[in-house]
Amino acid sequence: MIVVRTSGYLFDHQIRYPVWEASNPKLSDWLARLNLGGVILLGGSAAELLLRTQQLQEWSKTSLFIAADIEEGVGQRFTGATYFPPPMALGEIAKSDLKLAVKYAYKMGEVTAKEALGMGINWILSPVVDVNNNPDNPVINIRSFADSPQVVSELTKAFIEGAKNYPALTTAKHFPGHGDTSSDSHLDLPIISHNNERLENIELVPFQAAIEAKVDSIMTAHLLINAWDKENPATLSQSILTGKLREKLGFDGLIVTDALIMGGVAKLAKSEEIAVKAVEAGADILLMPDDPEMAINSVYNAVKSGRLTVERIDQSLNKIWQAKNKIFNHNNEKLSVYQLSQKEDRDIVKNILKYSIRTSNNLPLKTKQETSKRNLIVVDNLLNADFLERQMPAFIIPNLLDYNLQLVDQNTFSYVLEDDRETLLQIFIRGNPFRGNAGFNETAKGAYHRLLKKSIIKGLIIYGSPYILDWFITEMEPDIPWVFSYGQMAQSQAIACQTLFNLSASELRSMSQNLGDVFI
């Protein structure tokens, strides 16, 4: 019933988050001695991960759940595999062609499951089925398919159906719905004050669709839902997990908590009490407890004292074994790491990016050869910008057109405001966990205001959040040509830059050998 976090890298000196990721000696001891149920992985390359997952299974005396938060494809977390744009890109396509969006959601589920199993991952912690109807949501944001419960439901079902082609578990999250919050449950406990009717008509609709599609597991949210339980967050609420999810919605699969180290629950009680309350509430899997040995002992002691029953534990164990039987007793063809990032899968990504792109009506951006120009790229944090490398299209394509690169983050942005050169502004920004805001604070808005007043911005590309684009459209002159893309990866950069400058693939090839066909 315990799943712990570990590094996807093979060696201890590569561990990036030592507070959360145990060393190899400690982890191998836990797996052998505590009989843990599984691990959740972060970090490493796709090929390396195959070795890592084999290593972990060998250390354990019981076959492991091996999970990962791969909401945007396996390549989101493990380099080399297929990297899809955020789910909201599919919601953008659905605005004009729901049938096409459903087709791509199906393929996204199918490719994600195929590649996950090829690397040894058997539990996909996706899809996100929250309805993101709050533009200021700092943690769900573009991880959601849409702000419409009907669109989220259709794309959710398609993703799950696609994943069913392979014996990997799927997960609908975060129950009962994290879309209408303005705070991040990684840091604090968000409170939702909607009445029962509103919750059933919006938040619960996609979860009902996921259950009908036979999703394997549902992840809880660390939210206080006043209409259902004024004292306990959903993760620790028996009336929500057992009363609503099990009994009313009829879900009979695995209930897994969101990470128990998150501030949304970790601040509420001692770790021992949190573990017991989650099991009392109806959770089958405790994800990332502060200390797995402590969590096991606290649940064991609760059974000894009569607070928890043996029957309650057996209910969870039976569901765990059913899920593991699906994974390990399936006569599916042997999947290989060599099936990662196939051309047809990359083409799906490219099509999603092309069909979800948004543009102004006054393209292309016309460049003046004799003018000194800069390519000003602003990222949220330069220390956490894995999507940028020296040979990325966002650098190369403007450089071919004589734009000089200036790369800053929102903390150093003010230092470049005195430069009066004609500017192509490229912004990489989106909501992410543990930040506490949607990536666009008042300081950043002030800096952009100063830049816009100087009338030197001649073109704009935004990668990530459409809510940032909405702000710029209301603040900047209408004659500035712009392009918006949900993705931040190389393919997205190439498509956005090609669109802004109206460059064909043949023109780019003739201009530079540094852009391979994979980007064009």
Side-chain angles (χ1 to χ4, degrees):
M1 296 176 66
I2 308 291
V3 170
V4 300
R5 174 163 159 172
T6 187
S7 171
Y9 295 105
L10 282 169
F11 306 110
D12 281 346
H13 67 266
Q14 294 176 292
I15 289 175
R16 297 173 64 190
Y17 303 96
V19 173
W20 296 334
E21 298 168 357
S23 65
N24 282 331
K26 179 177 283 189
L27 182 61
S28 61
D29 171 63
W30 282 350
L31 292 175
R33 182 170 54 85
L34 302 181
N35 196 27
L36 300 182
V39 298
I40 174 173
L41 293 170
L42 182 66
S45 68
E48 178 181 21
L49 209 69
L50 180 60
L51 297 176
R52 178 62 164 166
T53 56
Q54 290 172 346
Q55 177 190 63
L56 295 171
Q57 293 288 12
E58 289 169 1
W59 285 348
S60 178
K61 61 184 179 183
T62 305
S63 296
L64 295 171
F65 288 130
I66 297 186
D69 277 311
I70 39 180
E71 302 162 4
E72 298 167 25
V74 177
Q76 177 191 13
R77 303 294 184 192
F78 310 105
T79 56
T82 303
Y83 193 172
F84 286 89
M88 197 173 281
L90 295 174
E92 186 69 40
I93 296 172
K95 292 176 182 177
S96 57
D97 192 338
L98 179 59
K99 187 176 180 180
L100 182 63
V102 166
K103 170 189 169 183
Y104 286 140
Y106 180 95
K107 294 300 294 183
M108 185 177 178
E110 182 177 47
V111 172
T112 300
K114 176 187 71 173
E115 294 195 345
L117 288 171
M119 297 160 46
I121 295 171
N122 52 42
W123 193 357
I124 301 166
L125 300 181
S126 182
V128 173
V129 307
D130 304 307
V131 181
N132 195 82
N133 44 24
N134 186 336
D136 295 323
N137 194 317
V139 63
I140 302 302
N141 210 271
I142 57 175
R143 296 165 62 196
S144 164
F145 285 118
D147 59 6
S148 158
Q150 289 72 34
V151 171
V152 174
S153 296
E154 291 300 316
L155 299 181
T156 291
K157 289 189 291 185
F159 182 98
I160 294 168
E161 291 295 335
K164 280 184 186 176
N165 290 306
Y166 298 93
L169 304 181
T170 51
T171 310
K173 60 186 189 183
H174 309 79
F175 185 83
H178 205 322
D180 195 6
T181 64
S182 55
S183 57
D184 182 357
S185 57
H186 291 81
L187 303 173
D188 295 295
L189 178 63
I191 299 173
I192 292 181
S193 299
H194 299 307
N195 61 30
N196 183 68
E197 182 181 9
R198 148 65 196 250
L199 293 166
E200 292 191 349
N201 289 337
I202 295 183
E203 274 75 15
L204 291 189
V205 173
F207 287 98
Q208 292 171 318
I211 292 169
E212 290 169 9
K214 301 195 181 307
V215 71
D216 299 288
S217 62
I218 290 180
M219 179 180 287
T220 71
H222 304 327
L223 304 171
L224 192 67
I225 315 291
N226 280 328
W228 294 341
D229 190 330
K230 294 183 183 297
E231 296 182 4
N232 302 298
T235 297
L236 308 181
S237 172
Q238 189 171 36
S239 63
I240 294 177
L241 298 192
T242 299
K244 292 289 183 183
L245 184 52
R246 286 277 186 233
E247 296 172 359
K248 183 162 186 178
L249 297 185
F251 178 62
D252 62 358
L254 283 173
I255 296 178
V256 56
T257 72
D258 206 343
L260 294 180
I261 51 90
M262 290 166 55
V265 291
K267 296 178 180 180
L268 302 181
K270 291 183 177 180
S271 300
E272 298 93 319
E273 178 67 9
I274 289 170
V276 174
K277 283 181 70 70
V279 176
E280 271 184 324
D284 304 302
I285 298 284
L286 306 181
L287 179 63
M288 292 176 61
D290 185 46
D291 179 335
E293 194 157 9
M294 172 277 302
I296 291 170
N297 288 334
S298 61
V299 172
Y300 176 73
N301 289 332
V303 174
K304 282 179 63 178
S305 70
R307 181 177 174 183
L308 291 171
T309 65
V310 173
E311 289 75 21
R312 169 67 195 87
I313 304 301
D314 283 345
Q315 288 171 3
S316 290
L317 291 182
N318 287 336
K319 294 183 184 301
I320 290 167
W321 287 120
Q322 288 171 16
K324 288 193 173 182
N325 281 335
K326 172 181 175 177
I327 296 168
F328 297 108
N329 294 335
H330 197 283
N331 294 321
N332 203 50
E333 61 176 305
K334 181 69 174 176
L335 291 163
S336 165
V337 73
Y338 298 109
Q339 292 176 264
L340 299 179
S341 201
Q342 298 289 300
K343 183 182 184 303
E344 57 268 28
D345 301 332
R346 297 197 306 274
D347 286 344
I348 293 168
V349 172
K350 187 178 293 187
N351 286 335
I352 294 173
L353 289 166
K354 285 183 175 179
Y355 285 118
S356 64
I357 201 168
R358 294 170 58 184
T359 65
S360 62
N361 295 322
N362 53 351
L363 295 178
L365 169 60
K366 295 180 174 61
T367 63
K368 299 177 181 178
Q369 296 299 324
E370 70 280 1
T371 305
S372 178
K373 304 181 291 291
R374 68 168 168 174
N375 172 22
L376 177 58
I377 293 180
V378 185
V379 301
D380 183 55
N381 188 332
L382 283 170
L383 297 178
N384 188 26
D386 296 339
F387 46 83
L388 292 181
E389 296 177 6
R390 184 180 295 273
Q391 299 301 323
M392 295 303 250
F395 297 167
I396 294 175
I397 295 176
N399 185 60
L400 296 172
L401 299 169
D402 299 321
Y403 284 84
N404 297 314
L405 175 64
Q406 207 165 37
L407 177 61
V408 298
D409 62 21
Q410 293 200 99
N411 298 315
T412 58
F413 189 19
S414 60
Y415 297 108
V416 302
L417 294 178
E418 303 310 316
D419 192 325
D420 289 331
R421 286 178 293 173
E422 288 194 2
T423 298
L424 163 62
L425 177 60
Q426 297 191 73
I427 302 172
F428 291 79
I429 194 165
R430 56 174 288 181
N432 277 310
F434 288 105
R435 185 163 53 196
N437 61 67
F440 204 46
N441 56 38
E442 293 304 316
T443 301
K445 289 178 184 178
Y448 288 121
H449 267 302
R450 290 175 58 193
L451 199 59
L452 289 168
K453 282 183 178 179
K454 298 178 72 171
S455 300
I456 59 174
I457 296 178
K458 303 303 178 182
L460 171 69
I461 304 177
I462 296 176
Y463 305 91
S465 172
Y467 308 115
I468 309 301
L469 173 65
D470 292 342
W471 182 87
F472 269 92
I473 288 175
T474 63
E475 300 294 328
M476 68 184 183
E477 295 296 327
D479 61 337
I480 297 176
W482 56 262
V483 173
F484 169 78
S485 178
Y486 283 92
Q488 296 184 329
M489 69 286 279
Q491 277 182 305
S492 179
Q493 297 170 31
I495 291 169
C497 289
Q498 282 180 261
T499 302
L500 184 70
F501 293 110
N502 191 28
L503 296 171
S504 68
S506 60
E507 286 176 305
L508 282 176
R509 289 190 188 96
S510 67
M511 293 166 70
S512 175
Q513 295 180 344
N514 289 330
L515 280 169
D517 285 345
V518 68
F519 296 155
I520 298 174

